Amino acid sequence: MAKAPPFPIESFRGLVEHIARLSYLNPDHLLFYRGQNSDFLNKAGSTTIYPGLYRSENTSKDELRHRFTLLDQAGKELVKRWAESKLDGLRDIRQKTYVQWSILQHYSVLETPLLDITHSLRVACSFAQHDATADRSIVYVLAMPQVTNRISINSEDDLVNVRLLSICPPSALRPHFQEGFLTGTTDVTWDFDNKTELDFRNRLIAKFSIPSGTKFWGRGFNSIPQESLYPNNDRVSAICDGLRESLKTELQAGDLANS
């Protein structure tokens, strides 16, 4: 599947019908989606679906170690600023690293070892079209273990799946509007033997090419506006904007390379 070209679909209804068949043929899995502006390929021409922290093909171990250190520092600073703002959910933010990472990633502070996915096909298609730089966009379909808790850990598949609607405090509006999940390997680390173990193409069961225009939606369906996926008056966004500014000097390429 990773080496196959995306299957072209011209309408949202047609895509839903294909997804219905995939769901029926994969009863032991829950299907999740990821919308992108293009099919990301490695040098061998195969789809790669890495979490953002691992995405560069030539990232050194020293650079990855620095990114994890920076992520840890950002998490601690997020907890501090959250407490100062007196927002709900401080206990979960303080105690659960996955909650810190979900906030840092969804508000574009830092990339994390987790991958953004959604259980909503409409959300995935909307993201794919909003980010479009060409006439067509890409929707990936991933077969994942069933979700049993707000943080579901599957030891057989070595996967963790975080249901953001259940774990993110209500003041963090963006993850709720995006119906988001985060997924990754359970033993998250910068030190690994084989990077391909972190590639979610192993979960890929289909990839579709959809038109970037409004005709794709047809009668009765429509894209989710960008302002709805990124709602205004989000107090967490203000916290993360300030945190992002404070980290800018740490994110310079030279700092990463020379750490």
Side-chain angles (χ1 to χ4, degrees), residues 36-231:
Q36 300 189 168
N37 62 0
S38 62
D39 189 12
F40 293 164
L41 306 177
N42 61 17
K43 293 178 181 178
S46 180
T47 294
T48 62
I49 312 175
Y50 282 107
L53 189 142
Y54 301 116
R55 203 158 286 164
S56 175
E57 284 197 34
N58 299 313
T59 304
S60 68
K61 292 291 182 70
D62 284 343
E63 184 174 345
L64 283 175
R65 182 171 54 185
H66 176 78
R67 291 180 183 179
F68 271 97
T69 300
L70 187 59
L71 194 56
D72 181 62
Q73 294 171 349
K76 291 176 181 177
E77 182 63 21
L78 176 66
V79 171
K80 176 184 174 183
R81 295 182 182 219
W82 201 282
E84 291 171 349
S85 299
K86 302 186 183 302
L87 296 179
D88 292 337
L90 178 61
R91 181 178 178 181
D92 275 343
I93 290 285
R94 179 180 286 137
Q95 294 181 348
K96 294 181 173 64
T97 301
Y98 287 127
V99 181
Q100 296 173 17
W101 287 357
S102 68
I103 297 296
L104 293 171
Q105 179 148 314
H106 269 266
Y107 289 89
S108 303
V109 178
L110 287 175
E111 297 284 8
T112 76
L114 302 177
L115 181 74
D116 281 303
I117 54 178
T118 179
H119 194 42
S120 168
L121 185 59
R122 185 179 172 217
V123 168
C125 292
S126 298
F127 267 117
Q129 290 192 329
H130 292 327
D131 295 337
T133 56
D135 293 337
R136 302 189 72 86
S137 304
I138 299 296
V139 175
Y140 293 142
V141 184
L142 306 173
M144 304 291 291
Q146 297 288 339
V147 175
T148 55
N149 298 293
R150 28 182 221 166
I151 300 178
S152 297
I153 297 177
N154 188 294
S155 57
E156 294 295 325
D157 293 303
D158 191 28
L159 289 174
V160 59
N161 200 335
V162 183
R163 186 174 186 265
L164 298 180
L165 284 89
S166 299
I167 203 168
C168 281
S171 49
L173 297 179
R174 189 176 298 181
H176 295 278
F177 278 77
Q178 296 176 5
E179 301 181 51
F181 286 72
L182 286 174
T183 186
T185 55
T186 52
D187 296 322
V188 177
T189 179
W190 57 269
D191 191 14
F192 46 81
D193 294 327
N194 189 344
K195 186 181 174 182
T196 59
E197 297 172 0
L198 308 171
D199 193 342
F200 276 84
R201 70 180 180 184
N202 302 319
R203 290 277 155 187
L204 185 67
I205 62 169
K207 51 182 175 178
F208 296 99
S209 165
I210 65 172
S212 299
T214 56
K215 287 184 178 180
F216 165 74
W217 295 96
R219 180 178 297 179
F221 303 105
N222 59 282
S223 172
I224 302 174
Q226 200 155 6
E227 57 268 23
S228 295
L229 293 171
Y230 299 92

